């Protein structure tokens, strides 16, 4: 029996591509990974990982001899028959997914290629069909990626499910992809390309809907005196509902949910279908980011000249990704109200610096909170739960915390003399 491992090509080594490349190398496959960003390729070839993803740098170092980084498509085509496409698909102004990076990859493939393009990038339903119209000889598999930044390695190695969509003529490639993922043990979902593409967008839209739903429940809880964390706990124990994505807060962000929800809404709109529910999901999310302002004003009155410290900037903990982070909207709104904004994030300072030029970035939570009129917890980094809050209450101009993720111990903070405001929770002063 030949147990030589299949060579893998990866095109685009951002979050998804780098995790895919390093994890396949960890599973013993030789990997050739292509990116157009020369600096990135050079850094990765030297073992440097520019993004913050737990465990990634270690796996890369362990598998350096199986991983080759290049800027040459020719070299990539010579190195592997299966090409995992992991390039970016950001939103356009219209809300559609921008497929120009995907198109550039497809254009770079020879017309008579005997390769297979395995699409990991999130693309609208219909993209695979359009690619095969242009390149009928190219085998094409839709294998959408479901990893979550912060736990990406685990998500890759222990997937809930792996979706593999292929149409007539591409079965050999789908079988090869199935062989690659079978050892990981997740449920394998074999389907057609259009359905695979839709599974990805529908999954993210559903999760975003769950978040906006619980945020609306939180807002009603605030009016009725109920505690949304209790409500979510009671709801989540129902197996038909499940506990995940029922955490009320200051809205979702990141590189996926906002763009994928908007891409699905737009995809439906382009076919003449008005996806009403997604309009509400997006609107609720936008309003939710701004509700913090009213909470601050309730205690501080006008925010003009008030010093507000943001704890956490990344769109979620364990990543330095600032794409569509709630902190961007919040800091702009606070500054719009005349507040002076300081901020601290354990890892996102570098990626945030260029995006938040007029926010004072501190080197620690204590530094950000020193002299502040209020703290707003935006990202639930563990270290914020472990801060010496009683000591911090002394250094702040006013001991006020708005906990945008219902993450801190409200009772302990109140005992330490803080006014505590969560999201959808009784505020204790009524
Ligand atoms: N980040 C996530 O958590 C996540 C999760 C699931 C799915 N996705 C999807 O995966 C795709 C990639 O996301 P990401 O966050 O890794 O993006 P990213 O922006 O971090 O990385 C994309 C990479 O592709 C490279 N690239 C662009 N055009 C190229 C080309 N023509 N040839 C070679 N390389 C090229 C870029 O230089 C960049 O390094 C997107 O469609 C995204 O929606 C992302």
């Amino acid at each position: 029996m030949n147990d030589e491992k299949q060579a893998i090509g990866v095109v685009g080594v951002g979050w998804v591509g780098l995790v895919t490349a390093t994890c396949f190398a960890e599973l013993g496959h030789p990997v050739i990974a292509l990116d157009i960003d020369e600096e990135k390729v050079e850094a990765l070839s030297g073992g440097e990982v520019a993004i913050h993803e737990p465990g990634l740098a270690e796996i890369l170092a362990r598998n350096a001899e199986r991983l080759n980084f290049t800027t040459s498509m020719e070299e990539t085509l010579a190195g592997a028959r299966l090409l995992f496409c992991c390039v970016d698909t950001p939103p356009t102004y219209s809300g559609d997914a921008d497929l120009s990076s995907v198109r550039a990859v497809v254009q770079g493939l020879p017309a008579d290629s005997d390769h297979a393009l395995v699409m990991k990038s999130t693309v609208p339903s219909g993209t695979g069909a359009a690619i095969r119209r242009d390149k009928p000889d190219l085998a094409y598999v839709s294998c959408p990626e479901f990893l979550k930044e912060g736990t990406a390695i685990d998500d890759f190695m222990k997937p809930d499910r792996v979706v593999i969509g292929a149409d007539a003529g591409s079965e050999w490639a789908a079988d090869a992809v199935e062989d690659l993922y079978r050892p990981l043990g997740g449920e394998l979902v074999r389907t057609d390309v259009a359905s695979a593409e839709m599974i990805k967008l529908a999954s993210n839209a559903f999760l975003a809907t769950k978040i906006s739903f619980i945020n609306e429940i939180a807002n009603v809880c605030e009016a009725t005196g109920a505690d949304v964390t209790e409500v979510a706990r009671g709801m989540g124990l129902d197996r038909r509902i499940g506990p995940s994505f029922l955490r009320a807060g200051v809205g979702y962000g990141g590189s996926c949910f906002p763009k994928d929800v908007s891409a699905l809404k737009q995809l439906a709109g382009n076919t003449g279908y008005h996806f009403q529910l997604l309009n509400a999901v997006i609107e609720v999310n936008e309003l939710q980011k701004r509700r913090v302002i009213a909470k601050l004003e309730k205690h501080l009155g006008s925010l003009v000249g008030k010093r507000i410290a943001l704890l956490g900037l990344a769109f979620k903990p364990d990543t330095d990704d600032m794409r569509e982070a709630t902190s961007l909207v919040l800091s702009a709104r606070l500054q719009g109200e005349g507040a002076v904004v300081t901020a601290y994030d354990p890892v996102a300072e570098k990626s945030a610096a260029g995006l938040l030029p007029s926010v004072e970035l501190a080197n620690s939570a204590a530094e950000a909170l020193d002299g502040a009129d209020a703290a707003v917890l935006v990202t639930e980094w563990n270290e914020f739960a472990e801060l010496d809050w009683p000591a911090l209450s002394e250094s702040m101009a006013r001991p006020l915390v708005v906990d945008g993720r219902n993450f801190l111990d409200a009772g302990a903070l109140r005992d330490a003399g803080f006014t505590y405001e969560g999201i959808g929770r009784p505020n204790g002063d009524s």
Side-chain angles (χ1 to χ4, degrees):
M1 200 181 115
N2 179 10
D3 58 0
E4 200 175 301
K5 297 270 188 171
Q6 163 101 280
I8 306 289
V10 173
V11 184
V13 274
W15 242 281
V16 169
L18 192 53
V19 169
T20 304
T22 48
C23 287
F24 275 132
E26 174 85 347
L27 294 171
H29 298 272
V31 176
I32 175 128
L34 161 76
D35 204 286
I36 46 170
D37 182 336
E38 286 177 17
E39 265 178 45
K40 193 180 266 190
V41 167
E42 205 176 296
L44 286 167
S45 303
E48 265 174 59
V49 180
I51 55 175
H52 177 89
E53 182 59 47
L56 188 58
E58 292 80 352
I59 300 190
L60 182 78
R62 238 191 343 260
N63 294 285
E65 83 287 356
R66 271 198 285 271
L67 274 161
N68 276 302
F69 295 96
T70 180
T71 53
S72 156
M73 178 56 100
E74 236 173 45
E75 218 179 293
T76 310
L77 291 169
R81 201 169 172 211
L82 288 184
L83 305 174
F84 283 75
C85 180
C86 307
V87 298
D88 46 307
T89 52
T92 58
Y93 289 118
S94 64
D96 291 283
D98 178 352
L99 296 178
S100 52
S101 296
V102 170
R103 279 193 211 102
V105 173
V106 175
Q107 272 158 20
L109 300 174
D112 58 351
S113 169
D114 65 348
H115 289 77
L117 191 65
V118 184
M119 189 57 69
K120 293 238 124 239
S121 298
T122 304
V123 295
S125 215
T127 304
I131 291 175
R132 287 204 82 203
R133 269 197 301 278
D134 286 353
K135 291 251 156 84
D137 293 335
L138 180 70
Y140 185 90
V141 179
S142 168
C143 180
E145 182 53 60
F146 297 97
L147 64 75
K148 304 178 289 300
E149 288 175 22
T151 54
I153 305 290
D154 240 31
D155 294 338
F156 184 98
M157 293 296 192
K158 294 180 224 145
D160 291 342
R161 77 321 204 170
V162 177
V163 175
I164 301 170
D167 296 330
S170 297
E171 290 90 351
W172 70 265
D175 291 346
V177 173
E178 200 175 315
D179 289 345
L180 289 174
Y181 280 101
R182 194 176 301 105
L184 300 179
E187 188 88 25
L188 295 170
V189 182
R190 274 291 281 265
T191 183
D192 58 280
V193 168
S195 303
E197 292 167 338
M198 188 57 93
I199 288 170
K200 172 64 191 179
L201 285 181
S203 299
N204 272 1
F206 184 75
L207 294 173
T209 302
K210 248 183 137 179
I211 296 173
S212 278
F213 180 84
I214 201 65
N215 281 338
E216 292 234 87
I217 293 293
N219 299 342
V220 179
C221 284
E222 284 180 8
T224 59
D227 182 335
V228 74
T229 59
E230 292 297 306
V231 175
R233 187 163 65 94
M235 285 172 65
L237 288 168
D238 184 329
R239 262 175 281 182
R240 295 167 305 173
I241 298 173
S244 52
F245 288 81
L246 281 185
R247 193 166 191 151
V250 282
Y252 61 79
S255 67
C256 290
F257 282 5
K259 93 172 164 63
D260 293 351
V261 175
S262 136
L264 179 53
K265 181 190 123 173
Q266 208 52 41
L267 175 68
N270 295 344
T271 67
Y273 183 73
H274 181 53
F275 204 144
Q276 293 197 58
L277 180 61
L278 291 187
N279 281 327
V281 168
I282 294 166
E283 191 183 345
V284 167
N285 195 52
E286 286 313 309
L287 294 174
Q288 198 68 13
K289 296 177 190 170
R290 292 158 170 83
R291 282 179 71 87
V292 168
I293 306 292
K295 287 179 186 288
L296 290 168
E297 283 173 344
K298 179 173 132 194
H299 297 283
L300 301 175
S302 161
L303 298 184
V304 175
K306 299 282 167 29
R307 208 173 165 79
I308 310 296
L310 302 184
L311 294 182
L313 292 169
F315 88 91
K316 67 175 190 177
D318 291 322
T319 182
D320 59 349
D321 199 343
M322 284 293 295
R323 289 178 282 188
E324 301 280 340
T326 294
S327 62
L328 298 171
V329 174
L330 198 50
S331 57
R333 278 299 310 124
L334 286 167
Q335 287 171 328
E337 295 297 326
V340 177
V341 182
T342 63
Y344 165 70
D345 188 285
V347 303
E349 187 183 339
K350 206 162 133 210
S351 41
L355 300 168
L356 298 169
S358 41
V359 170
E360 292 173 26
L361 295 178
N363 292 316
S364 66
E367 190 183 314
L369 292 173
D370 192 26
D373 292 288
V376 180
L377 186 135
V378 186
T379 315
E380 61 275 38
W381 286 97
N382 277 336
E383 73 170 67
F384 298 146
E386 286 151 19
L387 291 173
D388 182 354
W389 285 101
L392 291 169
S393 79
E394 301 293 315
S395 72
M396 288 176 68
R398 188 179 167 133
L400 168 62
V401 170
V402 177
D403 182 357
R405 302 291 176 188
N406 289 340
F407 178 66
L408 301 171
D409 182 338
L413 280 170
R414 288 192 180 112
D415 289 348
F418 277 94
T419 301
Y420 173 92
E421 283 270 355
I423 307 291
R425 308 178 79 180
N427 59 26
D429 60 7
S430 52

